């Protein structure tokens, strides 16, 4: 596809689904903010809106963080949930707040700062919501004139080419100052990619090459990116995919890009009738889970294999095995039987309600490209937010670090686990009945087996804790822990950047 055609397709992808006016017949919704305030659930403080920025603050540290952890853990998540007496109707709609935990042995400092997106700035000035979100609509909202007018920059952060990028799902990455978290504006990879979807889950090869994608559901376009280690765009292209679903994550191998596509498909008629972007999607189990495999060298070479219908947010990793029949790709991911969690669980917490959906389980799929056949095994282990050794992206990796263990009466997770993906053998550490676990990451150590680093929200103390574990002795508990004098809103993803 030549540059002119790519520009035309991305221009269509960036505007067509957003130029519809808000539905005039939309009913006045219940006051979710009042429902949240009236809720008696003890964990709801994890989803409160911080009123201000959080200046650089020293944590209380028990133990000493290993030398390999000297550096900064960057994290981000939805934080601005309330405005003008209205509360978002989905956790994923909150204005993004970026965090940095600066670690140096027995010292840890934290800073939190809202990402100054165009959406947040305009709505803060107006004192009310102006445009819809991923899962939220209100009567009287303005038409959305581009994806970036909805961009809340709240899902993940990527450090590449000397830049720190706050990532959303349906629009541009947002540049942040790594030392102050000041918002520096949108990242423009190329003029014709302005506003194009750039996923929150890029994959970084061991040589530093960044691979990413973006989904334009209403136009059936999958945008692919290849970015050099220095941050320079090598190539980008928009590819048509039939029945393109909601895709949140993917995997890479040395030779391929791997997309597991759940049967949650966009319905333009629902969107035209006034549904939110989320509610414009329909569950079509007859499509199954389709595994789309694309050659890294030639994006025109693609293959689709069939798996049983299921839903996923996150992928752990993928690797290739050569057999007599051809290449077999193994990919581990966290699988749910359906998409109820994104429609109910992560929505109802916005009014302080717990609606439990079937938790996802760690699953290992094998894609036999030569035979055109896919199989999978699902381990009886609750899992979410899988992370692995970043040096082994696309290679056989052995284990993942992930959140685990749901508890009665609590949303999300209360433990962190280390699980062998090919056997299901696992060890875990439980933070206790008053804790909500966030994503933990693996940090390599040239002198040993590495470390596990992550945050947990203790709703009993109303504090956020940063913990470090020896990767091979996770069940033994933290070797060091930093306690903030306050609680952070529950967030999503992050990455560690070693000091230089």
């Amino acid at each position: 596809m030549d540059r002119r055609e790519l520009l035309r397709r991305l221009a269509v992808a960036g505007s067509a689904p957003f130029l519809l006016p808000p539905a005039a017949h939309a009913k006045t919704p219940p006051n979710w903010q009042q429902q949240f305030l009236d809720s008696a659930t003890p964990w709801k403080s994890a989803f409160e809106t911080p009123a201000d920025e959080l200046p650089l603050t020293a944590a209380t540290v028990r133990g000493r963080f290993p030398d390999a952890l000297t550096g900064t853990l960057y994290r981000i998540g939805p934080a601005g949930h309330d405005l003008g007496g209205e509360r978002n109707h989905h956790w994923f709609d909150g204005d993004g707040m970026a965090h940095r935990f600066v670690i140096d042995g027995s010292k840890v400092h934290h800073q939190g700062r809202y990402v100054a997106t165009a959406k947040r700035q305009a709505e803060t000035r107006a004192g009310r919501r102006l445009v819809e979100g991923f899962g939220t609509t209100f009567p009287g909202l303005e038409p959305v004139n581009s994806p970036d007018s909805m961009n809340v920059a709240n899902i993940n952060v990527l450090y590449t080419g000397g830049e720190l990028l706050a990532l959303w799902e349906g629009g541009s990455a947002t540049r942040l100052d790594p030392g102050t978290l000041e918002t520096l504006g949108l990242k423009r990879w190329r003029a014709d990619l302005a506003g194009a979807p750039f996923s929150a889950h890029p994959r970084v090869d061991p040589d530093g090459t960044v691979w990413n994608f973006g989904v334009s559901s209403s136009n059936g376009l999958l945008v692919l990116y290849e970015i050099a280690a220095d941050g320079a765009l090598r190539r980008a292209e928009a590819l048509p995919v039939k029945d393109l679903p909601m895709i949140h994550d993917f995997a890479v191998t040395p030779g391929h890009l791997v997309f597991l596509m759940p049967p949650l498909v966009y319905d333009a008629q629902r969107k035209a009738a006034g549904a939110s972007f989320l509610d414009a999607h329909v569950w079509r189990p007859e499509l199954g889970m389709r595994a789309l495999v694309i050659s890294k060298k030639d994006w025109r070479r693609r293959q689709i294999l069939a798996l049983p219908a299921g839903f996923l947010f996150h992928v752990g990793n993928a690797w290739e095995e050569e057999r007599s029949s051809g290449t077999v790709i193994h990919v581990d991911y966290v699988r749910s039987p359906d998409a109820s969690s994104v429609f109910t669980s992560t929505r109802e917490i916005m009014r302080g309600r717990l609606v439990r959906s079937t938790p996802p389980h760690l699953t290992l799929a094998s894609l036999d490209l030569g035979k055109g056949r896919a199989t999978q095994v699902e381990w009886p282990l609750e899992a979410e937010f899988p992370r692995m050794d970043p040096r082994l992206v696309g290679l056989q990796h052995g284990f993942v670090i992930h959140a685990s263990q749901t508890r009665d009466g609590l949303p999300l997770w209360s433990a962190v686990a280390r699980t062998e993906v090919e056997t299901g053998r696992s060890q875990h550490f439980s933070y206790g009945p008053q804790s909500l676990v966030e994503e933990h990451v693996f940090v390599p150590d040239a002198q040993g087996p590495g470390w596990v680093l992550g945050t947990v929200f203790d709703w009993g103390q109303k504090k956020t804790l940063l913990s470090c574990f020896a990767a091979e002795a996770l069940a033994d508990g933290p070797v060091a822990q930093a306690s903030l004098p306050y609680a952070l809103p529950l967030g999503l993803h992050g990455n560690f950047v070693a000091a230089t």
Side-chain angles (χ1 to χ4, degrees), residues 5 44 47 84 154 220 222 264 314 329 333 347 405 409 496:
E5 176 63 7
K44 73 176 187 180
F47 304 98
N154 67 359
L222 180 67
L264 187 62
H314 300 115
I329 295 176
Y333 72 105
R347 172 168 269 160
Q405 194 178 84
F496 176 78

Side-chain angles (χ1 to χ4, degrees), residues 309-363:
F311 182 73
L312 76 153
F313 279 119
H314 300 115
V315 178
N317 193 33
W319 71 100
E320 296 181 359
E321 176 188 359
E322 293 301 325
R323 297 180 182 174
S324 58
S325 61
T327 301
V328 176
I329 295 176
H330 304 282
V331 54
D332 53 274
Y333 72 105
V334 286
R335 178 185 182 275
S336 300
D338 56 46
S340 60
S341 63
V342 71
F343 286 97
T344 57
S345 303
T346 49
R347 172 168 269 160
E348 290 300 315
I349 55 178
M350 283 294 94
R351 39 183 166 185
R353 298 178 180 178
L354 178 62
V355 177
R356 179 73 68 198
S357 56
T358 303
H361 290 82
L362 187 63
T363 301

Side-chain angles (χ1 to χ4, degrees), residues 20-250:
L20 295 169
H25 60 276
K27 296 180 180 178
T28 301
N31 189 322
W32 283 45
Q33 185 174 24
Q34 192 59 51
Q35 291 177 337
F36 181 79
L37 293 173
D38 292 341
S39 170
T41 51
W43 46 261
K44 73 176 187 180
S45 53
F47 304 98
E48 292 176 346
T49 296
D52 301 302
E53 312 288 348
L54 301 170
L56 195 65
T57 301
T60 300
V61 177
R62 176 178 59 83
R64 187 182 188 281
F65 286 81
D67 291 342
L69 296 180
T70 301
T72 303
L73 174 66
Y74 293 102
R75 285 188 49 78
I76 203 166
H81 301 297
D82 305 301
L83 184 64
E86 295 176 327
R87 185 168 176 82
N88 287 325
H89 295 181
H90 203 285
W91 180 27
F92 299 165
D93 284 332
D95 296 324
M97 176 175 271
H99 304 274
R100 64 185 185 108
F101 294 84
V102 183
I103 305 168
D104 186 5
S106 59
K107 297 179 181 179
V108 173
H109 290 81
H110 167 264
Q111 179 189 12
R113 195 166 186 174
Y114 280 107
V115 183
T117 62
K119 182 179 188 294
R120 176 170 174 81
Q121 292 183 88
E123 292 182 339
T124 300
R125 286 193 300 267
R128 65 180 183 88
R129 296 298 179 197
L130 299 176
V131 295
E132 65 180 271
F134 167 77
T136 303
T137 60
F138 293 117
L141 295 178
E142 300 174 358
V144 179
N145 55 25
S146 76
D148 282 331
S149 63
M150 293 174 60
N151 192 338
V152 284
N154 67 359
I155 301 177
N156 202 356
V157 289
L158 169 69
Y159 186 81
T160 185
E163 288 189 313
L164 181 65
L165 303 177
L167 307 180
W168 186 49
E169 203 82 318
S172 305
T174 302
R175 298 164 50 242
L176 304 179
D177 185 304
T180 66
L181 301 181
E182 178 187 359
T183 302
L184 303 177
L186 297 176
K187 175 67 177 180
R188 298 303 190 205
W189 301 104
R190 202 170 63 202
D192 57 326
L193 293 168
F198 190 82
S199 160
H201 284 287
R203 295 284 169 161
V204 184
D205 276 342
D207 68 359
T209 299
V210 177
W211 301 88
N212 205 5
F213 71 98
V215 172
S216 176
S217 301
S218 61
N219 293 280
L221 292 175
L222 180 67
V223 185
L224 301 181
Y225 300 83
E226 181 186 358
I227 300 165
D230 63 2
L233 180 70
R234 286 180 180 155
R235 55 178 170 153
E237 187 173 338
L239 310 177
V241 176
K242 184 180 179 181
D243 295 320
L244 182 62
M246 185 183 297
I247 305 175
H248 182 67
D249 198 356
F250 78 130

